[in-house]
Structures are given as C-alpha cells and as structure tokens.
Amino acid sequence: MTALQHTTEVVDPVPGADAPHLPGQPDLVQLLTPEGERVEHPDYSLDITDEELRGLYRDLALVRRWDVEATALQRQGELGIWASLLGQEAAQVGAGRALAADDMAFPTYREHGVAWTRGVDPLHVMSLFRGVDMGGWDPVATRFNLYTVVIGAQCLHATGYAMGLQRDGAESATLAFLGDGATSQGEVNEALIWASSYAAPVVFFCQNNQYAISVPIERQSRAPLFHRAAGFGFPGVRVDGNDVLAVLAVTRAALAAAREGQGPTLIEAFTYRMGAHTSSDDPSRYRLASELEEWKLRDPIARLKAYLSRSGKADAAFFTGVDAEGDELAARLRKGTIEMPDPAGTEIFDHVYAEQTPHLAAQRAEFVAYHESFEGGHQ
Amino acid sequence: MTETLTIGKALNLGLRKALEDDAKVMLMGEDIGKLGGVFRITDGLQKDFGEDRVVDTPLAEAGILGTAVGLTMRGYRPVCEIQFDGFVFPAYNQIVTQVAKIHARSRGKLPMPIVIRIPFGGGIGAVEHHSESPEAYFAHTAGLKVVAVSNPVDAYWGIQQAIAHPDPIVFLEPKRRYWEKAKVDRDATPEPLFASRVVRGGDDLTLLAYGPMVKTALQAAQAAADEGRSLEVVDLRTISPLDLEPVYESVRRTGRCVVVHEAPLTLGLGAEIAARVTETCFHSLEAPVLRVGGYDTPYPPSKLEEEYLPDLDRVLDAVDRSMGF
Ligand SMILES: Cc1ncc(C[n+]2csc(CCOP(=O)(O)OP(=O)(O)O)c2C)c(N)n1
Ligand SMILES: [Mg+2]
C-alpha cells in the first residue's frame, strides 16, 4: 500500500486519484478537471473573460519558470536554499488573483506565486533565499506581508490585521496562508478562535500539499482539514488546489463574505508538493515515486493549457509568447541574482529599533572601527 | 572499540545505546522517523525501535514538550528533538513554566527526566530562525540544566548521561560542527557530564568557550602560540550548572580571562562568568574579564553571518586587549 493510498483512506478520496475519469467528489470544488474539461459547480460559478483566462495561464507558467530557475540557481550555489512551489502554482495564483488591491496577504515562506500576483519583484524574494536580506519587498505598499518562517505565526497576525480593518470600517479582508502541518500549531488554532469570536474578515487558505517535510497529513489530522472550521463555528471548504479556476472562485467568494461582515472561512486547497520540501530535503527517504507519478496527472498548468487550446481561447502563438516571456524572466532573475550586491555589515545594527539605543550605536561604532583596523595590512 | 565518528554520528550512536539500555527511553520530534531528522541524527532509529519509541510528532513544539511531561509522569524518559533553535519558542511556555518547575512544585515527587535536544548556533548559511543561540534563556531558568557539547566524544557520552539524569536537560548540539570528526572509544569511562575541561594548557590567558566556539577558541590559541602567547582553553561543556573551579584555578595562574560565545553579549553566559570570575579571582586579575560574542541584534541574513559571528580574529583582538591592560 502506498503512502498516498494510506492518506486517502484516512482522510478522504484524493481528487483525481482515478484520473483521467474523476469519480464523484462531493466535497471537492472543481471547475476544471485534470483533463481540462470545464465543469460547473452548484455553489461556485466563475465569470471570467478569455483574456483573464489567458492571464491566469501566463501567471502559472511564469511562476513555474521562476521556480525552475531558482532551483537551478540554488544548485549552482547562487541561493542558500530554495523552497519550491512546484505543483502548487494554481493554489497560489488562484488565491492571489482573488485578492482585491486593498486586501492584505500573510504568506508562509513558499508563497512565491502569491508574491507574483501582488506585483512583488521576484528578485526581492530571491534576495531572501540568497541570504542578502529577509525579503526585500515593501509589505505595506504591496499588501503582501514579509515571509514568516515560524510555522503558523502569521495566522494570528492576519487575524489581528482583520480586526483592525473591522474597526476602521474598511471594506477589505486578509488572506492568511498556512500549510497542512501548520494546522497542528496551537497558535493557528488560536487564530481560528479569534477570527471566529470576532467574525474577523480573514480567510485562512491552507495548502494541503500532503506533507509537512516528511510527515504525511494523517499525522496532523484524522479528519479532512476543512471539517475543522465547523468546530470553530465558521464555514470550511475543500477546493481542488490544482484547479486555478476553482481556487479563484472559492477564494473570491470567501473574501467577499469576509468583507461583507460574514466572518472567516477556512479553505483547504487540496494539492501536492511536487518537489522536495526545500533544496535541503530528500523526499526519497519518505515517499514513493509512484505518488509523484499519480499527481503528475493532475498538473495545474497542463489542464488549463488543454482547456485554452481545445476551446480555442488561446492559440499556439500565445503559448509561444508566454514561453518566450518565461525565458526572458529567467534570464533577468539569473542575472539579477548573481549580480546582487552583498549587504553592508552595518546593516546588522541599523534597523533593530525604531529609536536606536546608545548601547547599540556604540557597538556599531566599535564594529566599524574594528573592520577599519584591518584595512591595509591585514590579510 | 575506538572509531572515528562525526558529532552527528556519535549522537546517533549515543541515542541508539540509550534506547537499547532503557526501554523507557523514547524519542519525540518532527521528522525524526523515516527522514531521520533534518540533520539525520535519528537516522535508522525508528526502523529499529519502532514508531512507539521513535515518534514522529505533529508539527507543534508545545505539544512535544507538554506531552513529554505527561509521559514522564508515567515513567518514560522522553528525548525531544527541536528541529532548529529558532523553533523552540512555541515550547518555551511548557519548558519554563512546567518542565522546569514541576520537581520543585511537587517537592520532588515528580521528577522530570526530559532531554530537549536543540541544534544551535549559526554558520550554516541558513535563513532566519535557523541560527539562534538561545542558551541564556534556559540557563536563566532555575530547574533546567543546560549542556553544550563541542566534540564527538562528549556527544556520544553526553547524550546518554543526559538521558539517564533525573533532571530536565536542554542539550545543545553545535549544528555547524555536526560533521567534525574525532576518535571515540565506546568502552572508555566517560567524564562526568557537569564538568568543564581544560582542552589546551597555557600560561598567559584563560580562554573559555562551549559548543561551536570551542573549535574557534582552539584555533585562536594555536594562532596566538605562533605569536609567542600561551593561551589556556577551557571547554565549559555544561553551562548550567557552571563548573568554574577549573576556570578559577586557571585564572589565578594566568591573571586574564576571555569568554567567547555566539549568543548576543548582553546578559549572555559571558556576563555571568565574568561576574563570578571577578568575584572569586579579583586579586589575581591583571585585566577585566573580556567577552567576545554575537552583537546585540537579531541574527543577520546569512551573507552577514561571518561578520556577526565571533571568529579567530575577534578572539585574538580580545586577547590583545586583555594583554594590553
Ligand atoms: C515553529 C516551527 N517549527 C518547525 C519548523 C521547521 N519547519 C519548516 S517547514 C516545516 C513543515 C511545514 O509543513 P506545512 O505547514 O505543511 O507547510 P509546507 O512546507 O508543506 O508548505 C517545518 C516542520 C518551523 N519553521 N517552525
Ligand atoms: Mg504541507
């Protein structure tokens, strides 16, 4: 028995487990089957123009191209580490594109696809993984918070931000990202309680990619994750995380409900981490290659491409154009990453406090004097 | 049986021995089963001892420590792995308010033989929260003991001694030195756990370090020797309780003392040691006790860690300053 079958038994049927013909998945919202068939869902419809559809495809393809380039740069020693989003592009792009300009997103460390939709320059993400800074983008201007590495901590931040929106009478919401593993953290559960208790305009977007590093989902939850919401007193919904249209529709609806004062929603985007946890990880130690093969059949980009081409919504020239754009992006990221200047040593001291302390100012001065003492002479 | 082992492998063998010797010993942590831990310290142990004794936990550090308390009350001896230093904080409440205090609260009726293994310190080019040196928080907490090993021999014996010990122990492993090798005699009689050790004799100055900085201190002593200065290096090995008798003895001879650690200077171990050495050896001191440590800032992005971490040059600079008094 494969780990996947085990997961399936304990948790719920895996969408597309029997691909190409999906069996009935009453709990799983899907608008685009793995084969690229457009289907309707009674609760979630999506009004979308052909141009927007092509835009989503472009997002998915470029985000993947970025990810592939980053993986290569890491292997070549240009990044310290890389957390790949391979396989999760639709979940991230769908969620990111559901945000309105004034909504605020609270990512983990893997939400490069959401960063993309917020207009964050990918080089500002690369600088974090290169070890140059802790993320170079402006979280206020982009409405995309800095990456949070401590599992789950951002869920409380998103909830508090939502409480602020509530008090300001703002018609906006927050979108908190978390993984399946994160759902075990006490702080995440506290966030769910807070959000529920105050009907805060926050949507919890959990990418269930089936693993927390090596630990499979059944160690974190014996029930489908989206069922948890019921216990906290708000709606939960499971969406096919590899279906960008369904993710977009479900997240839009949840954000709209939050903005209208209906409180939080927990979205479980059912997906799969196609790569290693990070470039430091070796998944062959804990999962079977056959599992990966099964999930390849549900690739998020292939299904949109199939739909666009079959329905005539995009032609060959469009896809060639996106490929070319991808190559340009990759070249820009490669050059930009390799040429990124190292930070100045004094950066260590410069942003610790809003109001610098005399003690730290003195330490900084000592640091400068110490390094100057090496100039000329010291090898 | 003497063999060459890395610190990582020595820990793995020490854990294996502890699991063999005492059926009540169990390991708990994130990814410690099939994966063998992100540093492979528990490699192969779940396969050999089963899922009940080598437990892959849900992703929740408070859960790991909180359930360890209950297991301890049933006579088990949990060895908890915290994946990285920066992730101990969700468990901090359990460690500080419960693990550390239950023995006192129960007036000894509820001993807490829990070991909390934490890979600590920087130097591996990691992202945020993977390079912290949180030892002072734990050393400051009464009821906890804190060990910081620096070499394969202490790793092999120390982990077993810590597991067999009746009090809770925060066991700090110098992650950037996991791959450092030394000969380990597995039939030898181990040195006591809570004892510091002079690892290099010298007459001019006493240099103190623990964990990853011991190697740096030894390198500094070698470089100083090339310049005609003789440094005595002490590996503190345990930072709570501190075993400073050998240090006092040394400082009375050398008259000078420098303490090195990666953790930020302010209220770090160096401050406590400087106070005690000054109180005890005041009349022998030729210079104030000097400290070399991380700056009083968050741990920086990895491109700056070399400038943040004490290195040979910064240690030698402190030695120069001490000798200049
Ligand atoms: C508090 C805390 N504990 C442990 C870790 C180490 N760690 C980093 S990612 C990870 C797994 C996270 O799994 P999940 O929430 O499913 O997100 P995914 O990585 O799959 O996107 C762990 C254990 C951490 N970052 N923070
Ligand atoms: Mg996961």
Side-chain angles (χ1 to χ4, degrees):
Chain A
M1 172 185 263
T2 66
L4 179 65
Q5 281 163 335
H6 191 51
T7 301
T8 307
E9 267 196 8
V10 177
V11 179
D12 223 27
V14 177
D18 297 326
H21 293 293
L22 276 178
Q25 296 278 339
D27 283 338
L28 186 89
V29 179
Q30 196 175 62
L31 297 179
L32 197 58
T33 70
E35 308 76 52
E37 215 73 61
R38 184 74 167 84
V39 291
E40 295 302 324
H41 189 280
D43 301 328
Y44 296 96
S45 59
L46 187 67
D47 265 339
I48 189 161
T49 65
D50 291 357
E51 198 183 335
E52 286 170 316
L53 282 170
R54 286 191 296 272
L56 288 174
Y57 177 84
R58 179 178 168 273
D59 286 341
L60 295 175
L62 295 184
V63 162
R64 178 169 292 182
R65 190 67 185 83
W66 166 12
D67 188 79
V68 166
E69 198 61 24
T71 297
L73 282 163
Q74 194 283 330
R75 290 205 180 118
Q76 292 153 8
E78 297 295 344
L79 298 179
I81 192 171
W82 179 247
S84 167
L85 59 39
L86 201 68
Q88 297 176 226
E89 296 88 350
Q92 298 192 8
V93 166
R97 287 296 175 207
L99 288 161
D102 282 343
D103 293 337
M104 177 79 186
F106 288 80
T108 70
Y109 41 82
R110 204 188 289 288
E111 266 68 72
H112 323 313
V114 186
W116 173 264
T117 65
R118 300 308 271 171
V120 170
D121 184 338
L123 283 172
H124 285 151
V125 177
M126 301 295 265
S127 59
L128 186 161
F129 290 93
R130 191 171 164 86
V132 168
D133 56 33
M134 309 266 186
W137 64 92
D138 178 343
V140 180
T142 58
R143 297 270 195 274
F144 183 70
N145 193 38
L146 292 176
Y147 278 2
T148 300
V149 172
V150 178
I151 299 294
Q154 74 281 0
C155 292
L156 282 164
H157 310 161
T159 304
Y161 192 103
M163 290 166 67
L165 290 173
Q166 225 171 13
R167 279 157 181 71
D168 296 343
E171 277 168 30
S172 305
T174 68
L175 190 54
F177 288 87
L178 65 152
D180 45 291
T183 61
S184 292
Q185 283 287 9
E187 289 183 11
V188 170
N189 289 275
E190 289 176 25
L192 299 177
I193 290 165
W194 247 250
S196 173
S197 182
Y198 299 112
V202 50
V203 173
F204 298 97
F205 190 90
C206 177
Q207 287 166 81
N208 176 1
N209 63 6
Q210 315 301 327
Y211 287 93
I213 310 188
S214 71
V215 180
I217 175 65
E218 68 260 32
R219 173 65 72 225
Q220 320 290 348
S221 185
R222 291 281 169 171
L225 285 177
F226 76 104
H227 281 185
R228 282 217 194 153
F232 289 96
F234 57 85
V237 50
R238 177 182 271 184
V239 61
D240 182 342
N242 289 13
D243 171 355
V244 69
L245 303 186
V247 173
L248 180 63
V250 165
T251 313
R252 265 188 191 162
L255 286 168
R259 290 187 207 104
E260 284 160 17
Q262 295 173 42
T265 301
L266 171 63
I267 299 173
E268 176 188 358
F270 206 81
T271 182
Y272 192 79
R273 197 193 76 211
M274 295 299 284
H277 169 70
T278 66
S279 47
S280 311
D281 180 38
D282 173 11
S284 71
R285 293 179 72 101
Y286 55 81
R287 69 185 191 187
L288 296 166
S290 58
E291 212 176 286
L292 200 68
E293 292 308 315
E294 287 180 61
W295 276 92
K296 272 188 190 154
L297 300 173
R298 297 167 212 137
D299 183 74
I301 303 185
R303 72 172 77 174
L304 185 59
K305 188 172 188 179
Y307 172 59
L308 289 178
S309 20
R310 245 187 266 127
S311 61
K313 293 181 193 298
D315 57 14
F318 167 75
F319 294 114
T320 319
V322 172
D323 284 349
E325 214 185 328
D327 290 341
E328 272 165 44
L329 173 70
R332 179 173 84 83
L333 297 185
R334 166 164 294 269
K335 186 164 187 292
T337 300
I338 292 172
E339 290 176 359
M340 223 170 255
D342 284 351
T346 46
E347 276 278 308
I348 295 174
F349 304 91
D350 288 346
H351 308 286
V352 181
Y353 300 104
E355 188 181 306
Q356 181 64 307
T357 65
H359 168 73
L360 200 55
Q363 216 172 58
R364 185 187 192 279
E366 273 171 36
F367 174 90
V368 171
Y370 173 73
H371 283 278
E372 277 170 1
S373 74
F374 288 124
E375 270 158 32
H378 188 82
Q379 63 284 45
Chain B
M1 187 199 342
T2 301
E3 57 199 313
T4 301
L5 299 176
T6 60
I7 290 184
K9 185 64 187 170
L11 288 165
N12 177 266
L13 290 172
L15 289 167
R16 176 177 288 279
K17 186 75 169 44
L19 285 161
E20 280 164 4
D21 287 353
D22 182 349
K24 290 292 189 185
V25 170
M26 55 184 286
L27 315 188
M28 306 167 69
E30 294 157 8
D31 303 286
I32 69 167
K34 272 191 193 161
L35 187 64
V38 296
F39 290 106
R40 308 290 185 264
I41 304 302
T42 56
D43 193 21
L45 298 180
Q46 188 181 64
K47 191 169 126 286
D48 293 345
F49 294 93
E51 292 187 14
D52 279 351
R53 297 195 65 201
V54 180
V55 181
D56 255 332
T57 66
L59 207 180
E61 291 77 9
I64 296 172
L65 265 298
T67 55
V69 168
L71 282 157
T72 302
M73 293 169 69
R74 288 294 304 173
Y76 287 90
R77 299 183 93 88
V79 182
C80 302
E81 173 173 305
I82 298 295
Q83 200 161 79
F84 280 91
D85 33 51
F87 307 138
V88 70
F89 299 105
Y92 192 64
N93 172 46
Q94 285 288 341
I95 296 172
V96 170
T97 71
Q98 306 301 318
V99 173
K101 291 184 171 170
I102 287 176
H103 189 268
R105 186 190 301 149
S106 69
R107 309 183 84 196
K109 291 196 175 57
L110 297 172
M112 283 287 127
I114 296 175
V115 175
I116 306 165
R117 294 183 39 239
I118 311 178
F120 84 122
I124 63 161
V127 294
E128 206 187 355
H129 310 297
H130 292 72
S131 307
E132 310 280 309
S133 295
E135 60 268 25
Y137 299 130
F138 301 113
H140 190 68
T141 301
L144 300 176
K145 294 176 180 173
V146 185
V147 169
V149 293
S150 68
N151 63 75
V153 176
D154 287 348
Y156 177 71
W157 293 112
I159 191 63
Q160 295 178 62
Q161 292 165 316
I163 293 170
H165 189 75
D167 289 315
I169 296 184
V170 175
F171 192 89
L172 300 168
E173 303 171 1
K175 72 168 82 79
R176 71 160 127 158
R177 310 278 189 222
Y178 270 143
W179 300 272
E180 300 274 329
K181 289 181 185 156
K183 284 211 160 56
V184 180
D185 177 0
R186 292 207 262 153
D187 298 319
T189 307
E191 286 184 51
L193 182 60
F194 304 119
S196 57
R197 179 170 62 221
V198 176
V199 289
R200 179 184 171 115
D203 305 317
D204 295 337
L205 182 145
T206 307
L207 189 56
L208 310 180
Y210 55 86
M213 283 291 109
V214 173
K215 182 176 179 181
T216 308
L218 285 168
Q219 287 168 337
Q222 185 56 47
D226 297 344
E227 292 170 12
R229 276 182 185 153
S230 158
L231 309 190
E232 180 144 302
V233 180
V234 181
D235 179 353
L236 293 169
R237 298 176 74 241
T238 287
I239 52 191
S240 180
L242 280 165
D243 172 32
L244 294 184
E245 273 313 320
V247 174
Y248 301 150
E249 191 279 321
S250 175
V251 172
R252 285 189 190 109
R253 274 188 295 109
T254 65
R256 298 171 204 277
C257 182
V258 172
V259 193
V260 190
H261 50 63
E262 286 189 24
L265 270 192
T266 295
L267 294 169
L269 261 289
E272 178 65 27
I273 292 166
R276 292 201 204 177
V277 169
T278 306
E279 284 164 10
T280 310
C281 307
F282 185 69
H283 295 291
S284 312
L285 284 170
E286 307 277 346
V289 179
L290 297 183
R291 296 168 293 158
V292 184
Y295 298 105
D296 291 317
T297 68
Y299 197 88
S302 61
K303 287 278 182 194
L304 291 175
E305 70 180 341
E306 272 180 34
E307 314 206 25
Y308 177 88
L309 290 168
D311 61 4
L312 187 132
D313 285 327
R314 279 178 62 202
V315 175
L316 290 178
D317 177 66
V319 169
D320 281 348
R321 282 186 285 126
S322 175
M323 300 300 291
F325 270 95

